[in-house]
Amino acid sequence: MPSDTFGDQQQFSEYFAARRDVVRRTAYLLCGDWHWADDLTQAAFMRLAVSWRKVRDHGALDAFVRTCLMRAYLSEARRAWRRREFSHAEVPDTRAGPDAMEQSAARTAFTAALGKLPPRQRAVLVCRYYHDLDVAATADAMGCSEGTVKSHAARGLARLKELLGEELEQRPATMVEGCS
């Protein structure tokens, strides 16, 4: 990040501290791996840091970072070695109560099903339903047409319903609550 003024650095630091966790959770929903999510988050914020002095509308920073995150994810997902490697998180040592266990199982099932979707479908679903973006904003973030967003959303939702079956109809809200 060019350091011409202390004010720019301070503004970037404040924005980074306020939005880092949100961007990291979004990255996790995209890739399903916390380590990869950290890398994607870092890539998005590095791109923002490089462009910080060029940003004219600081109200659009979230959209800029989201676009950087989506493009970094899609670029990484295209790499051949990413398709061969599978990482699995370890089971936590803590014991949860029955309600928390049920919610955790639902979130785990949802995240696993989301991970089985192709990268672009997953990215569209995260933009549309996790970030509540409209079709045009999702298309802009992903750098594709609105028709592509609509078709990926329809196919992704159909595949999620196929993978989750009745579980999705019984608890749609609890599956994504823990991811936010």
Side-chain angles (χ1 to χ4, degrees):
M1 180 170 147
S3 57
D4 287 351
T5 64
F6 179 73
D8 286 342
Q9 289 179 353
Q10 184 69 24
Q11 287 177 339
F12 177 79
S13 296
E14 289 171 3
Y15 179 78
F16 174 77
R19 301 302 294 170
R20 175 189 58 226
D21 292 337
V22 173
V23 173
R24 184 172 180 252
R25 283 191 300 266
T26 301
Y28 176 75
L29 281 175
L30 290 170
C31 66
D33 176 14
W34 284 111
H35 299 290
W36 189 11
D38 288 337
D39 292 344
L40 292 172
T41 302
Q42 181 179 3
F45 278 112
M46 288 299 295
R47 175 76 189 267
L48 175 63
V50 169
S51 304
W52 185 262
R53 300 195 70 207
K54 298 175 188 173
V55 175
R56 294 182 185 165
D57 181 12
H58 286 276
L61 287 174
D62 287 342
F64 182 80
V65 170
R66 186 172 38 251
T67 298
C68 293
L69 181 67
M70 293 296 159
R71 292 183 181 174
Y73 165 70
L74 292 172
S75 174
E76 281 289 316
R78 283 188 211 109
R79 297 179 189 263
W81 62 269
R82 276 281 179 209
R83 288 177 279 197
R84 288 191 312 243
E85 289 187 11
F86 296 101
S87 60
H88 301 280
E90 294 179 21
V91 178
D93 292 333
T94 60
R95 186 173 183 178
D99 289 336
M101 213 160 66
E102 185 178 308
Q103 288 179 344
S104 178
R107 280 192 307 272
T108 302
F110 179 77
T111 304
L114 194 62
K116 291 178 183 176
L117 297 179
R120 292 184 66 83
Q121 286 180 8
R122 190 176 326 147
V124 166
L125 293 179
V126 168
C127 281
R128 291 280 291 130
Y129 302 106
Y130 181 71
H131 280 289
D132 200 27
L133 296 179
D134 62 5
V135 174
T138 302
D140 188 44
M142 292 185 56
C144 62
S145 70
E146 291 183 17
T148 301
V149 169
K150 291 176 187 177
S151 65
H152 280 309
R155 289 182 189 135
L157 287 173
R159 180 71 175 134
L160 274 180
K161 287 180 183 176
E162 181 181 304
L163 292 169
L164 295 171
E166 293 177 11
E167 203 169 332
L168 183 64
E169 293 172 10
Q170 293 172 0
R171 305 173 265 187
T174 59
M175 291 191 162
V176 272
E177 282 175 356
C179 299
S180 59

